[in-house]
Amino acid sequence: MNKGILGIHHITAMSGIAQENIDFYVGVLGLRLVKKTVNFDAPDVYHFYYGDTVGNPGTILTFFPFGEGPRGRSGAGQATVTSFSIRPESIAFWIQRLQDHGLSVSGPQARSHDRQVITFYDPDGLALELVAHQGAEKRPGWQDGPVPSEHAIRGFYSVTIKVKNHVLTSALLKDVMGFRLIEQNGCRFRYEVGEGGPGTMIDVISQEDAAYGRQSIGTIHHIAWRVANEEELVWWQQKLLNVGLHATEVKDRNYFKSVYFREPGGVLFELATDPPGFAIDESVENLGSSLKLPEWLEPTRFNLEAQLPPISVPKIRG
């Protein structure tokens, strides 16, 4: 049993109006809605999963859309930026596309190792980056979406968290979770895990005077890290308990099994299994086309469908 963490599995955030969320992530960013389900812990709220054609781990951004409500505040104790991969040849395309949809775009800004970064915000104020880098084409995006396939988003590049002091967070990443420090720029520490490269990296920003974040609409709820299977998940659960962290029981999320814990800086982490994936209850061709519920919620389907707001997915092309 390898027991290694493989990279980012998914990132989950909180959003406002459900339809606006779908219109942006499918219609503008060109991600595929691979699963339409509910928050298993609050079933009167949708849970949307966006990703590549089949929702491969490392491409999945998920949302709990809470409708009208207060905006959160990004800050210490939170994941603060989600960064996606694009090809270097796609920079001009994305700047124009984002501006055409009325978004304010910053960049491209040069960063180390020949990376170019475009920064913008979604309709709820969630910070997003498109990172143009060589090798992005090795991971295909959604080939049949509204964005031409050559410019499609290619999964995650990295995720950024902010903490008051990085020392304990860094110790957890390196000494417990198997991450490696690969770059430091002032108060920003970059780590990678597994085979390294896009989808395996986390930036830790250490800022003692940062205000703590307030979790609500427009903020990231948690980061999930990939493990190969349930056997390894249970092994990690015990390892986390052994080092004094509060790891939850194994939770069945239908499309993966997982364990949650908070790292010392306050950011909620999850470990999630790669299998079984999103094609267990609908075909690849029909992913995201109907509301899927776990067996224990099926008896309440009629009431849930009456409570959840009606939504539609933007046309694939056009």
Side-chain angles (χ1 to χ4, degrees), residues 155-260:
F156 293 124
Y157 184 79
S158 63
V159 65
T160 300
I161 68 173
K162 183 177 288 186
V163 295
K164 290 277 194 177
N165 189 311
H166 75 96
V167 173
L168 293 179
T169 297
S170 295
L172 171 71
L173 290 171
K174 292 187 297 181
D175 301 337
V176 178
M177 298 179 70
F179 282 78
R180 307 173 294 276
L181 179 65
I182 60 171
E183 188 178 337
Q184 181 182 350
N185 184 5
C187 65
R188 181 186 291 264
F189 301 81
R190 170 161 287 186
Y191 297 90
E192 69 176 6
V193 75
E195 296 182 354
T200 72
M201 293 179 286
I202 181 171
D203 283 3
V204 180
I205 296 177
S206 184
Q207 186 178 342
E208 188 173 353
D209 63 351
Y212 282 108
R214 184 179 66 248
Q215 193 170 84
S216 191
I217 292 170
T219 63
I220 295 173
H221 187 267
H222 66 266
I223 307 167
W225 301 100
R226 296 173 55 200
V227 297
N229 52 50
E230 187 175 359
E231 184 181 6
E232 293 195 15
L233 179 66
V234 172
W235 184 91
W236 275 104
Q237 178 194 41
Q238 189 59 53
K239 183 171 184 176
L240 294 169
L241 292 170
N242 289 344
V243 299
L245 292 170
H246 174 69
T248 68
E249 72 278 10
V250 173
K251 295 181 181 290
D252 187 350
R253 299 309 195 191
N254 254 27
Y255 312 106
F256 50 87
K257 292 187 177 180
S258 69
V259 166
Y260 296 83

Side-chain angles (χ1 to χ4, degrees), residues 66-310:
F66 283 95
E68 300 287 353
R71 288 276 180 93
R73 181 183 65 228
S74 178
Q78 289 182 337
T80 55
V81 183
T82 300
S83 303
F84 292 102
S85 289
I86 59 170
R87 299 168 64 241
E89 297 84 355
S90 299
I91 292 174
F93 169 87
W94 276 106
I95 291 173
Q96 188 64 55
R97 181 174 181 83
L98 294 171
Q99 290 176 341
D100 287 348
H101 283 86
L103 299 175
S104 177
V105 178
S106 175
Q109 176 186 6
R111 292 189 186 167
S112 59
H113 304 296
D114 299 321
R115 300 189 304 268
Q116 295 282 329
V117 180
I118 302 167
T119 304
F120 58 102
Y121 296 85
D122 83 354
D124 292 307
L126 192 71
L128 301 170
E129 291 180 341
L130 298 180
V131 181
H133 62 94
Q134 297 296 333
E137 68 279 355
K138 294 179 181 178
R139 296 187 301 168
W142 183 22
Q143 299 297 293
D144 299 315
V147 173
S149 59
E150 65 270 24
H151 298 305
I153 286 173
R154 312 297 173 119
F156 293 124
Y157 184 79
S158 63
V159 65
T160 300
I161 68 173
K162 183 177 288 186
V163 295
K164 290 277 194 177
N165 189 311
H166 75 96
V167 173
L168 293 179
T169 297
S170 295
L172 171 71
L173 290 171
K174 292 187 297 181
D175 301 337
V176 178
M177 298 179 70
F179 282 78
R180 307 173 294 276
L181 179 65
I182 60 171
E183 188 178 337
Q184 181 182 350
N185 184 5
C187 65
R188 181 186 291 264
F189 301 81
R190 170 161 287 186
Y191 297 90
E192 69 176 6
V193 75
E195 296 182 354
T200 72
M201 293 179 286
I202 181 171
D203 283 3
V204 180
I205 296 177
S206 184
Q207 186 178 342
E208 188 173 353
D209 63 351
Y212 282 108
R214 184 179 66 248
Q215 193 170 84
S216 191
I217 292 170
T219 63
I220 295 173
H221 187 267
H222 66 266
I223 307 167
W225 301 100
R226 296 173 55 200
V227 297
N229 52 50
E230 187 175 359
E231 184 181 6
E232 293 195 15
L233 179 66
V234 172
W235 184 91
W236 275 104
Q237 178 194 41
Q238 189 59 53
K239 183 171 184 176
L240 294 169
L241 292 170
N242 289 344
V243 299
L245 292 170
H246 174 69
T248 68
E249 72 278 10
V250 173
K251 295 181 181 290
D252 187 350
R253 299 309 195 191
N254 254 27
Y255 312 106
F256 50 87
K257 292 187 177 180
S258 69
V259 166
Y260 296 83
F261 65 100
R262 286 196 185 274
E263 58 80 31
V267 182
L268 183 60
F269 280 179
E270 179 183 15
L271 299 178
T273 60
D274 277 2
F278 295 100
I280 60 168
D281 55 5
E282 54 189 342
S283 67
V284 171
E285 293 75 20
N286 292 316
L287 286 175
S289 61
S290 59
L291 180 67
K292 295 299 178 181
L293 299 175
E295 288 185 4
W296 57 274
L297 280 176
E298 276 296 344
T300 66
R301 175 178 286 274
F302 179 81
N303 288 334
L304 284 176
E305 289 182 334
Q307 294 177 57
L308 294 166

Side-chain angles (χ1 to χ4, degrees), residues 20-34 49-54 59 61 84-86 93-94 97-98 101 103 120 128 130 140-155 313-318:
E20 291 180 0
N21 186 257
I22 290 177
D23 289 344
F24 182 78
Y25 284 94
V26 177
V28 179
L29 293 193
L31 302 179
R32 187 180 188 188
L33 180 64
V34 295
Y49 290 79
Y50 303 99
D52 65 4
T53 302
V54 298
T59 73
L61 180 61
F84 292 102
S85 289
I86 59 170
F93 169 87
W94 276 106
R97 181 174 181 83
L98 294 171
H101 283 86
L103 299 175
F120 58 102
L128 301 170
L130 298 180
W142 183 22
Q143 299 297 293
D144 299 315
V147 173
S149 59
E150 65 270 24
H151 298 305
I153 286 173
R154 312 297 173 119
V313 178
K315 292 181 179 179
I316 298 299
R317 293 294 182 185

